[in-house]
Amino acid sequence: MKEYVTLKNGLKMPRLGMGMWYIGEESTKARGEYEAIRMGIDAGLKLIDTAEMYGMGRSESFVGRAIKNYDRSSLFLVSKVLPSNAGRNHIRSSLEHSLRRLETDYLDLYLYHWIGETPFPEVVESMERFVEEGIIRSWGVSNFDTEDMIELVEHSGGENCVVNQVLYHLGSRGIEYDLLPYLKDKNIFPMSYCPLAQGGSLSRGILQDETVQKIARNHNLSPSQVLLAFVLANEDMIAIPRSSSAKHMLENAAVRNTALSQEELALLNKAFPAPDHKVPLDMC
Ligand SMILES: NC(=O)c1ccc[n+]([C@@H]2O[C@H](COP(=O)([O-])OP(=O)(O)OC[C@H]3O[C@@H](n4cnc5c(N)ncnc54)[C@H](OP(=O)(O)O)[C@@H]3O)[C@@H](O)[C@H]2O)c1
């Protein structure tokens, strides 16, 4: 698998990492979650995706503690600003709180979590300033559909957006119709959230599906690993599966050594076709 993408500012971003939604929220689970995140980093998952929203900062604090003994420059840290904090009067304070909780002095990537009331130029202006100051190395957006991306890129500085993080998994392929081609054209990388369809729950029966199961058996993988391998088969795609289990984290890291064949991808396409028309952006 191609391990990195190179963003338009030259920064190398790992294609496979870990998501941190719900992680660090319950003290009874903390021990297992620490083990999982450390095993994941040691197995090569250096990209960590969190947000000020997750557990109202508890996810970022958890990540900050878990990465303490790692070389910061070997990690790629992503966090997100809530729409309600994205205006010029709040965003700096949000970012500073995220940095403090993560115990770092910069983010590799800062995302505008979803569209709120702040005009795009105002968000862009703040993001660009943070890049100039070196407190973030790049910025992007999340949950932006094609029309939103077109509007963003039209504004001065909007073309410096490097990533759009959106829901994408084998059972939800609407972005393939027009969003992925648009992002490719603008050299903006798609980042898949919910790549495992939230353990299958977002797409009933997907892990039990005959084709998924057959491909899993062929490669000695689990059905969840097949879902992840499908997402990563697109060499532009970045994916951040979440796991609170060390076993699952290692299984996810191991998908880097798997390549689905063209025949297998064709079988998955047949079982879970991408829509041939525009569908609303899926979100969760
Ligand atoms: N930008 C946004 O609006 C947005 C929205 C949603 C999510 N996200 C980001 O994307 C990340 C991933 O999405 P997600 O957390 O919603 O869902 P996900 O990664 O699709 O699925 C997580 C579920 O899959 C299970 N799992 C993980 N690895 C597995 C494996 N190898 N085998 C079997 N089950 C496995 C986990 O259970 P275990 O814990 O038991 O392993 C968990 O229940 C989030 O954590 C977050 O960082 C962003």
Side-chain angles (χ1 to χ4, degrees), residues 21 167-169 171-172 193-207 227 242 282-284:
W21 196 13
L167 186 150
Y168 180 65
H169 59 78
S172 180
Y193 74 70
C194 303
L196 307 177
Q198 287 197 331
S201 65
L202 296 181
S203 188
R204 204 175 290 268
I206 200 166
L207 298 176
L227 261 60
R242 160 182 48 107
D282 214 353
M283 296 185 200
C284 76

Side-chain angles (χ1 to χ4, degrees), residues 9-29:
N9 59 4
L11 197 59
K12 276 169 76 184
M13 177 169 182
R15 287 184 61 219
L16 179 58
M18 48 179 111
M20 289 290 140
W21 196 13
Y22 298 119
I23 303 289
E25 293 192 18
E26 287 179 48
S27 56
T28 52
K29 293 188 179 163

